[in-house]
Structure formats: structure tokens, C-alpha cells
Amino acid sequence: MRAYCAYSRHPDPDVPLRGCPAKREGRLMGWRKRAGGLPVSLRVPAGVSAGLLAILSIPLAAGPAEAGAWLQRKGEGLAIVTTLADRADQRFDAGGERIDDGYFYKDETAVYAEYGITARLTAVARLAWQSVERRQGAVHDAAQGLSASELGLRAGVWQDAGRIATLQVTALLPGAGENVSNQPLGAGGEAWEIRALWGQSFGRGRFADIQLAHRWRAEPDLDEVRLDISAGWRPAPRWQIIVQSLSVWSAEAAGPTRPAFSQHKLQLSLGREIAGMEYHAGVYFTPAGRNTLDERAIFLSVWRRF
């Protein structure tokens, strides 16, 4: 889910990082036939591993990094590395009922980054390396490589003490892994998204964030509407609890090979600052959906500022 995650800075110094590794999209697992073989294992190439280590070696600037709709300061940035394991053995049918549906797994390592171009403009980008497999009877679909890559800009619209409104435009470029809801791995073309973001700090380490987006996809894939709601609390110095709701709905009439869908995920994470870095561990699950997988995942994220 997210998908991608927005991480940025806001004026309340009590609010540290938060993340949303759950990919914000529903999937009715379409598939392509492939000759039998062993399950694909997650093997991140040496070049990718070296790049992740380089990012994590960047020294942190003073002060905490915050998250949500807020912007990065000019010349400052944030890098996040997230690894997750996502599994499903059921899906939601067209009526929203859970049914047995073979086996799905995804192992993913993603890098997300933000950089303040000006005081009112922040660049965002995300790359994710995946090993994904779906089996149902004799049908097998598997992929290993990049999922859809994302590149965008977030601009400030309005801000006062503790509150901010921003607007983000993102381009999505297809890869070999997951690109489009409801379609086989590797299927789908380019997409564009416009996202309105609202963030508010309530002081004493408490905050909320609401994001509403429309994603336009190349035909014949269905456009999507997305709603992400987050709330966080810092119960003690260096600790943080985040609760998130991540939802997606198809925004067009269903087609012969593109069924209408929806998916709603809930995510809970616990963060801890250690030696100038932030570590978040969490889980997400899918309480409701339609023509999508019943996914469950665990994840670990590491944040560093530059």
C-alpha cells in the first residue's frame, strides 16, 4: 500500500517520523500462465544492496524528521528504507465475502526519499524491489524486479501554526512487479496522480493527517480514488505509535477484464529513536474489500535525514 508514503517536516518538534509501507492499492489477482518452477526467492542484487547501505550511511541533521502533509526545508531531505513480508491465502469476492484463493506472497524492499527544492516545493520519489508470487491450482504468476516507480512534487498551498494544506502530483512508471490493481504482475502502463494533503499538529506529540487522491491510469485499466487517514501519538520521548487507514476504490465502470474493486487496510506501527535514527516495526491487515486479496503483512522501516 501504498503505497507510497509521504514523510516531511512540520512545526511541532514533538512529532517525529511516521511511515506507511502498506501499499495503497487493491488487487484482484489476475494472472498469466507460466511454466512450473520453484517459488521465486527475494534476492536483492548487489548494486541495489550497495545503494541502500549508502543511503543509510548518510549522517543525520540535528532535529527530528516529521511526516505527513508537511514540506521539507530547502536543501534538506529524508531517506527511508522499508522491508516487508506480505501474505494472503484468501480474497474478497464481488460481494465482499472471504473465499479461499490459493496462495500469494510478496517480499519487498523499498527506498523512499524527499528533498526540499524550495521552502514551498518538495520532491518525492520511491523505488521498490519485489519478489512476488501467486499460485492457484495449476495457475502460477511470479515476478522479481522493480514495481511501479514513483516521482512527484509536493507544493505548499496554505499553512499556519500547526496546520498545513499541500498538493502533490506524482507520475508512476511501470516495472516488472506490481503495477496495476486487478491485473497480472508486470501488466499496465503509466499513471498520474493528484493528491490533496491536510496535516494538523495538536501539540504534545499528537497529530493527524488526511490525504485524498485520484489516480488516472492508461486505458483499459480503471482509474482509482484513494483515501488515507493517519493519527499518531508520542507517549514518551523517543517513542511513537501510529495508526493508519489506507483505502482504494475503482473510479470507473467495470470492464470485461477489469472488475470493479475496493480494498481497506488498517496499519499499526511502533517507532523508536535510537542513536539518531528512527526504527518502525508494524503490521497491517485487510478488514474489508471487494475483488481484492485479504492481505496480512509485517514490516520494518529505518529513517535517516540528510
Side-chain angles (χ1 to χ4, degrees):
M1 232 2 237
R2 201 160 298 55
Y4 57 91
C5 303
Y7 305 82
S8 50
R9 173 183 297 276
H10 71 72
D12 184 353
D14 290 330
V15 181
L17 283 169
R18 74 182 189 272
C20 48
K23 188 168 181 135
R24 292 193 280 264
E25 88 182 276
R27 277 192 302 275
L28 166 66
M29 288 305 298
W31 51 77
R32 60 180 181 272
K33 291 186 178 179
R34 172 177 165 170
L38 295 176
V40 181
S41 61
L42 179 63
R43 299 178 181 271
V44 180
V48 175
S49 300
L52 299 182
L53 292 174
I55 288 174
L56 290 177
S57 68
I58 299 171
L60 276 171
E66 287 84 22
W70 289 270
L71 301 166
Q72 293 290 331
R73 291 174 179 168
K74 180 180 179 180
E76 295 185 5
L78 180 66
I80 306 100
V81 176
T82 301
T83 184
L84 66 83
D86 186 333
R87 303 292 184 264
D89 53 17
Q90 290 184 315
R91 68 177 176 89
F92 297 95
D93 63 16
E97 299 295 327
R98 287 183 173 90
I99 60 175
D100 291 336
D101 193 45
Y103 178 71
F104 166 85
Y105 88 71
K106 175 177 71 175
D107 294 330
E108 179 180 274
T109 299
V111 179
Y112 175 85
E114 287 191 354
Y115 181 77
I117 300 174
T118 70
R120 295 178 59 87
L121 190 65
T122 293
V124 299
R126 183 181 186 272
L127 291 174
W129 179 269
Q130 298 180 333
S131 175
V132 193
E133 183 176 11
R134 169 67 184 270
R135 290 182 181 273
Q136 186 177 25
V139 180
H140 176 220
D141 191 14
Q144 186 176 36
L146 292 176
S147 66
S149 301
E150 303 176 16
L151 183 63
L153 292 172
R154 184 187 310 138
V157 176
W158 175 86
Q159 184 174 10
D160 71 1
R163 295 180 294 178
I164 190 170
T166 54
L167 189 67
Q168 182 169 304
V169 178
T170 305
L172 296 93
L173 304 176
E178 295 178 298
N179 295 317
V180 182
S181 304
N182 276 13
Q183 293 304 304
L185 303 175
E190 294 78 13
W192 292 88
E193 180 184 276
I194 294 181
R195 180 173 294 262
L197 305 92
W198 171 270
Q200 181 163 353
S201 169
F202 301 100
R204 304 178 68 178
R206 299 170 299 163
F207 59 86
D209 181 81
I210 300 176
Q211 303 182 17
L212 179 64
H214 189 102
R215 182 169 294 185
W216 287 268
R217 293 196 178 276
E219 293 185 354
D221 298 317
L222 302 182
D223 294 349
E224 300 165 0
V225 173
R226 294 164 180 257
L227 176 64
D228 304 320
I229 303 173
S230 303
W233 175 47
R234 188 174 183 179
R238 301 180 181 274
W239 288 94
Q240 188 179 42
I241 298 171
I242 307 294
V243 178
Q244 294 174 288
S245 170
L246 310 171
S247 300
V248 58
W249 299 265
S250 55
E252 295 183 282
T257 60
R258 268 72 176 177
F261 65 91
S262 63
Q263 188 181 51
H264 311 285
K265 294 181 180 178
L266 292 178
Q267 179 170 297
L268 176 66
S269 63
L270 177 65
R272 166 71 171 168
E273 182 184 349
I274 302 175
M277 298 177 63
E278 282 240 9
Y279 298 86
H280 281 246
V283 298
Y284 66 78
F285 63 97
T286 311
R290 185 166 56 95
N291 288 331
T292 54
L293 286 171
D294 180 14
E295 296 179 73
R296 303 172 303 278
I298 58 174
F299 62 86
L300 174 66
S301 297
V302 183
W303 289 258
R304 296 211 67 160
R305 289 188 55 81
F306 59 91

PDB file of all heavy atoms in Angstrom, residues 1 21-23 42 82-87 106-110 126 284 297-300:
ATOM      1  N   MET A   1       0.216  -0.262   0.000  1.00  0.00           N
ATOM      2  CA  MET A   1       0.000   0.000   0.000  1.00  0.00           C
ATOM      3  C   MET A   1       0.523   0.634   0.000  1.00  0.00           C
ATOM      4  O   MET A   1      -0.745   0.017  -0.913  1.00  0.00           O
ATOM      5  CB  MET A   1       0.671  -0.051  -0.057  1.00  0.00           C
ATOM      6  CG  MET A   1       1.094   0.299   0.330  1.00  0.00           C
ATOM      7  SD  MET A   1       1.028   0.610   0.692  1.00  0.00           S
ATOM      8  CE  MET A   1       1.399   0.859   0.147  1.00  0.00           C
ATOM      9  N   PRO A  21       4.172   1.777   4.964  1.00  0.00           N
ATOM     10  CA  PRO A  21       4.619   0.867   3.943  1.00  0.00           C
ATOM     11  C   PRO A  21       3.536   0.054   3.286  1.00  0.00           C
ATOM     12  O   PRO A  21       3.775  -0.524   2.235  1.00  0.00           O
ATOM     13  CB  PRO A  21       5.615  -0.021   4.671  1.00  0.00           C
ATOM     14  CG  PRO A  21       5.347   0.157   6.104  1.00  0.00           C
ATOM     15  CD  PRO A  21       4.692   1.480   6.276  1.00  0.00           C
ATOM     16  N   ALA A  22       2.401  -0.006   3.873  1.00  0.00           N
ATOM     17  CA  ALA A  22       1.358  -0.760   3.225  1.00  0.00           C
ATOM     18  C   ALA A  22       1.042  -0.140   1.888  1.00  0.00           C
ATOM     19  O   ALA A  22       0.754   1.020   1.778  1.00  0.00           O
ATOM     20  CB  ALA A  22       0.114  -0.780   4.076  1.00  0.00           C
ATOM     21  N   LYS A  23       1.055  -0.938   0.852  1.00  0.00           N
ATOM     22  CA  LYS A  23       0.793  -0.404  -0.469  1.00  0.00           C
ATOM     23  C   LYS A  23      -0.665  -0.018  -0.579  1.00  0.00           C
ATOM     24  O   LYS A  23      -1.546  -0.797  -0.306  1.00  0.00           O
ATOM     25  CB  LYS A  23       1.129  -1.436  -1.529  1.00  0.00           C
ATOM     26  CG  LYS A  23       1.052  -0.858  -2.940  1.00  0.00           C
ATOM     27  CD  LYS A  23       1.665  -1.806  -3.925  1.00  0.00           C
ATOM     28  CE  LYS A  23       1.609  -1.235  -5.324  1.00  0.00           C
ATOM     29  NZ  LYS A  23       2.762  -1.344  -6.083  1.00  0.00           N
ATOM     30  N   LEU A  42      13.538 -13.908  -2.608  1.00  0.00           N
ATOM     31  CA  LEU A  42      13.903 -12.499  -2.640  1.00  0.00           C
ATOM     32  C   LEU A  42      15.407 -12.390  -2.644  1.00  0.00           C
ATOM     33  O   LEU A  42      16.070 -12.674  -1.652  1.00  0.00           O
ATOM     34  CB  LEU A  42      13.332 -11.785  -1.416  1.00  0.00           C
ATOM     35  CG  LEU A  42      13.660 -10.298  -1.324  1.00  0.00           C
ATOM     36  CD1 LEU A  42      13.034  -9.562  -2.505  1.00  0.00           C
ATOM     37  CD2 LEU A  42      13.145  -9.716  -0.023  1.00  0.00           C
ATOM     38  N   THR A  82      12.420   0.475   3.733  1.00  0.00           N
ATOM     39  CA  THR A  82      11.388  -0.369   4.332  1.00  0.00           C
ATOM     40  C   THR A  82      11.466  -1.766   3.730  1.00  0.00           C
ATOM     41  O   THR A  82      11.578  -1.915   2.514  1.00  0.00           O
ATOM     42  CB  THR A  82       9.984   0.199   4.069  1.00  0.00           C
ATOM     43  OG1 THR A  82       9.897   1.508   4.617  1.00  0.00           O
ATOM     44  CG2 THR A  82       8.912  -0.683   4.701  1.00  0.00           C
ATOM     45  N   THR A  83      11.406  -2.765   4.569  1.00  0.00           N
ATOM     46  CA  THR A  83      11.310  -4.140   4.088  1.00  0.00           C
ATOM     47  C   THR A  83      10.065  -4.772   4.695  1.00  0.00           C
ATOM     48  O   THR A  83       9.745  -4.521   5.862  1.00  0.00           O
ATOM     49  CB  THR A  83      12.570  -4.952   4.447  1.00  0.00           C
ATOM     50  OG1 THR A  83      12.475  -6.268   3.864  1.00  0.00           O
ATOM     51  CG2 THR A  83      12.755  -5.088   5.938  1.00  0.00           C
ATOM     52  N   LEU A  84       9.339  -5.553   3.893  1.00  0.00           N
ATOM     53  CA  LEU A  84       8.097  -6.153   4.381  1.00  0.00           C
ATOM     54  C   LEU A  84       7.900  -7.543   3.793  1.00  0.00           C
ATOM     55  O   LEU A  84       8.453  -7.883   2.744  1.00  0.00           O
ATOM     56  CB  LEU A  84       6.895  -5.261   4.074  1.00  0.00           C
ATOM     57  CG  LEU A  84       6.462  -5.016   2.625  1.00  0.00           C
ATOM     58  CD1 LEU A  84       5.586  -6.156   2.092  1.00  0.00           C
ATOM     59  CD2 LEU A  84       5.702  -3.707   2.520  1.00  0.00           C
ATOM     60  N   ALA A  85       7.070  -8.312   4.488  1.00  0.00           N
ATOM     61  CA  ALA A  85       6.634  -9.634   4.030  1.00  0.00           C
ATOM     62  C   ALA A  85       5.116  -9.636   4.047  1.00  0.00           C
ATOM     63  O   ALA A  85       4.506  -9.458   5.101  1.00  0.00           O
ATOM     64  CB  ALA A  85       7.190 -10.729   4.926  1.00  0.00           C
ATOM     65  N   ASP A  86       4.500  -9.827   2.885  1.00  0.00           N
ATOM     66  CA  ASP A  86       3.046  -9.740   2.697  1.00  0.00           C
ATOM     67  C   ASP A  86       2.552 -11.115   2.250  1.00  0.00           C
ATOM     68  O   ASP A  86       3.091 -11.695   1.302  1.00  0.00           O
ATOM     69  CB  ASP A  86       2.760  -8.678   1.633  1.00  0.00           C
ATOM     70  CG  ASP A  86       1.270  -8.399   1.469  1.00  0.00           C
ATOM     71  OD1 ASP A  86       0.451  -9.282   1.741  1.00  0.00           O
ATOM     72  OD2 ASP A  86       0.938  -7.288   1.027  1.00  0.00           O
ATOM     73  N   ARG A  87       1.504 -11.625   2.905  1.00  0.00           N
ATOM     74  CA  ARG A  87       0.982 -12.945   2.586  1.00  0.00           C
ATOM     75  C   ARG A  87      -0.542 -12.908   2.495  1.00  0.00           C
ATOM     76  O   ARG A  87      -1.205 -12.092   3.142  1.00  0.00           O
ATOM     77  CB  ARG A  87       1.379 -13.974   3.655  1.00  0.00           C
ATOM     78  CG  ARG A  87       2.886 -14.099   3.871  1.00  0.00           C
ATOM     79  CD  ARG A  87       3.579 -14.708   2.678  1.00  0.00           C
ATOM     80  NE  ARG A  87       4.993 -14.924   2.909  1.00  0.00           N
ATOM     81  CZ  ARG A  87       5.955 -14.086   2.550  1.00  0.00           C
ATOM     82  NH1 ARG A  87       5.638 -12.944   1.942  1.00  0.00           N
ATOM     83  NH2 ARG A  87       7.216 -14.379   2.780  1.00  0.00           N
ATOM     84  N   LYS A 106       4.465 -11.741  -1.130  1.00  0.00           N
ATOM     85  CA  LYS A 106       5.301 -10.649  -1.643  1.00  0.00           C
ATOM     86  C   LYS A 106       6.341 -10.302  -0.596  1.00  0.00           C
ATOM     87  O   LYS A 106       6.010 -10.040   0.565  1.00  0.00           O
ATOM     88  CB  LYS A 106       4.458  -9.409  -1.951  1.00  0.00           C
ATOM     89  CG  LYS A 106       5.302  -8.205  -2.382  1.00  0.00           C
ATOM     90  CD  LYS A 106       4.441  -7.004  -2.752  1.00  0.00           C
ATOM     91  CE  LYS A 106       3.797  -6.383  -1.544  1.00  0.00           C
ATOM     92  NZ  LYS A 106       3.045  -5.147  -1.890  1.00  0.00           N
ATOM     93  N   ASP A 107       7.619 -10.312  -0.994  1.00  0.00           N
ATOM     94  CA  ASP A 107       8.702  -9.763  -0.186  1.00  0.00           C
ATOM     95  C   ASP A 107       9.198  -8.526  -0.907  1.00  0.00           C
ATOM     96  O   ASP A 107       9.433  -8.556  -2.126  1.00  0.00           O
ATOM     97  CB  ASP A 107       9.839 -10.772  -0.031  1.00  0.00           C
ATOM     98  CG  ASP A 107       9.417 -11.991   0.785  1.00  0.00           C
ATOM     99  OD1 ASP A 107       8.542 -11.829   1.653  1.00  0.00           O
ATOM    100  OD2 ASP A 107       9.954 -13.083   0.544  1.00  0.00           O
ATOM    101  N   GLU A 108       9.358  -7.439  -0.181  1.00  0.00           N
ATOM    102  CA  GLU A 108       9.682  -6.167  -0.826  1.00  0.00           C
ATOM    103  C   GLU A 108      10.674  -5.373   0.009  1.00  0.00           C
ATOM    104  O   GLU A 108      10.584  -5.332   1.233  1.00  0.00           O
ATOM    105  CB  GLU A 108       8.408  -5.344  -1.014  1.00  0.00           C
ATOM    106  CG  GLU A 108       8.636  -3.984  -1.651  1.00  0.00           C
ATOM    107  CD  GLU A 108       7.340  -3.190  -1.810  1.00  0.00           C
ATOM    108  OE1 GLU A 108       6.656  -3.378  -2.828  1.00  0.00           O
ATOM    109  OE2 GLU A 108       7.017  -2.412  -0.881  1.00  0.00           O
ATOM    110  N   THR A 109      11.611  -4.729  -0.682  1.00  0.00           N
ATOM    111  CA  THR A 109      12.494  -3.740  -0.078  1.00  0.00           C
ATOM    112  C   THR A 109      12.356  -2.457  -0.874  1.00  0.00           C
ATOM    113  O   THR A 109      12.568  -2.451  -2.091  1.00  0.00           O
ATOM    114  CB  THR A 109      13.957  -4.210  -0.081  1.00  0.00           C
ATOM    115  OG1 THR A 109      14.064  -5.417   0.689  1.00  0.00           O
ATOM    116  CG2 THR A 109      14.871  -3.149   0.522  1.00  0.00           C
ATOM    117  N   ALA A 110      11.958  -1.382  -0.196  1.00  0.00           N
ATOM    118  CA  ALA A 110      11.660  -0.120  -0.886  1.00  0.00           C
ATOM    119  C   ALA A 110      12.500   1.010  -0.318  1.00  0.00           C
ATOM    120  O   ALA A 110      12.831   1.041   0.875  1.00  0.00           O
ATOM    121  CB  ALA A 110      10.172   0.222  -0.740  1.00  0.00           C
ATOM    122  N   ARG A 126      10.090   7.152  -5.091  1.00  0.00           N
ATOM    123  CA  ARG A 126      10.057   5.829  -4.472  1.00  0.00           C
ATOM    124  C   ARG A 126      10.445   4.757  -5.488  1.00  0.00           C
ATOM    125  O   ARG A 126       9.970   4.762  -6.623  1.00  0.00           O
ATOM    126  CB  ARG A 126       8.664   5.512  -3.922  1.00  0.00           C
ATOM    127  CG  ARG A 126       8.574   4.157  -3.189  1.00  0.00           C
ATOM    128  CD  ARG A 126       7.164   3.883  -2.693  1.00  0.00           C
ATOM    129  NE  ARG A 126       7.080   2.678  -1.875  1.00  0.00           N
ATOM    130  CZ  ARG A 126       6.880   1.449  -2.354  1.00  0.00           C
ATOM    131  NH1 ARG A 126       6.731   1.266  -3.668  1.00  0.00           N
ATOM    132  NH2 ARG A 126       6.819   0.410  -1.542  1.00  0.00           N
ATOM    133  N   TYR A 284       0.086  -4.784   9.109  1.00  0.00           N
ATOM    134  CA  TYR A 284      -1.171  -4.328   8.519  1.00  0.00           C
ATOM    135  C   TYR A 284      -2.002  -5.529   8.103  1.00  0.00           C
ATOM    136  O   TYR A 284      -1.485  -6.631   7.889  1.00  0.00           O
ATOM    137  CB  TYR A 284      -0.968  -3.340   7.375  1.00  0.00           C
ATOM    138  CG  TYR A 284      -0.309  -3.841   6.118  1.00  0.00           C
ATOM    139  CD1 TYR A 284      -1.010  -4.588   5.169  1.00  0.00           C
ATOM    140  CD2 TYR A 284       1.016  -3.518   5.836  1.00  0.00           C
ATOM    141  CE1 TYR A 284      -0.414  -5.005   3.999  1.00  0.00           C
ATOM    142  CE2 TYR A 284       1.623  -3.923   4.658  1.00  0.00           C
ATOM    143  CZ  TYR A 284       0.910  -4.668   3.751  1.00  0.00           C
ATOM    144  OH  TYR A 284       1.513  -5.086   2.589  1.00  0.00           O
ATOM    145  N   ALA A 297       0.541  -8.424   6.610  1.00  0.00           N
ATOM    146  CA  ALA A 297       1.967  -8.180   6.426  1.00  0.00           C
ATOM    147  C   ALA A 297       2.612  -7.704   7.718  1.00  0.00           C
ATOM    148  O   ALA A 297       1.952  -7.164   8.607  1.00  0.00           O
ATOM    149  CB  ALA A 297       2.195  -7.145   5.324  1.00  0.00           C
ATOM    150  N   ILE A 298       3.920  -7.909   7.798  1.00  0.00           N
ATOM    151  CA  ILE A 298       4.757  -7.323   8.840  1.00  0.00           C
ATOM    152  C   ILE A 298       5.847  -6.521   8.141  1.00  0.00           C
ATOM    153  O   ILE A 298       6.225  -6.820   7.003  1.00  0.00           O
ATOM    154  CB  ILE A 298       5.379  -8.396   9.758  1.00  0.00           C
ATOM    155  CG1 ILE A 298       6.222  -9.386   8.938  1.00  0.00           C
ATOM    156  CG2 ILE A 298       4.299  -9.130  10.528  1.00  0.00           C
ATOM    157  CD1 ILE A 298       6.981 -10.386   9.795  1.00  0.00           C
ATOM    158  N   PHE A 299       6.346  -5.468   8.809  1.00  0.00           N
ATOM    159  CA  PHE A 299       7.350  -4.628   8.159  1.00  0.00           C
ATOM    160  C   PHE A 299       8.289  -4.000   9.174  1.00  0.00           C
ATOM    161  O   PHE A 299       7.981  -3.893  10.367  1.00  0.00           O
ATOM    162  CB  PHE A 299       6.692  -3.532   7.320  1.00  0.00           C
ATOM    163  CG  PHE A 299       5.843  -2.574   8.114  1.00  0.00           C
ATOM    164  CD1 PHE A 299       6.396  -1.463   8.736  1.00  0.00           C
ATOM    165  CD2 PHE A 299       4.476  -2.769   8.226  1.00  0.00           C
ATOM    166  CE1 PHE A 299       5.628  -0.583   9.461  1.00  0.00           C
ATOM    167  CE2 PHE A 299       3.683  -1.887   8.941  1.00  0.00           C
ATOM    168  CZ  PHE A 299       4.264  -0.789   9.573  1.00  0.00           C
ATOM    169  N   LEU A 300       9.432  -3.553   8.674  1.00  0.00           N
ATOM    170  CA  LEU A 300      10.420  -2.815   9.449  1.00  0.00           C
ATOM    171  C   LEU A 300      10.936  -1.675   8.577  1.00  0.00           C
ATOM    172  O   LEU A 300      11.299  -1.896   7.416  1.00  0.00           O
ATOM    173  CB  LEU A 300      11.580  -3.718   9.879  1.00  0.00           C
ATOM    174  CG  LEU A 300      12.748  -3.019  10.586  1.00  0.00           C
ATOM    175  CD1 LEU A 300      12.289  -2.461  11.938  1.00  0.00           C
ATOM    176  CD2 LEU A 300      13.921  -3.979  10.779  1.00  0.00           C
TER     177      LEU A 300
END
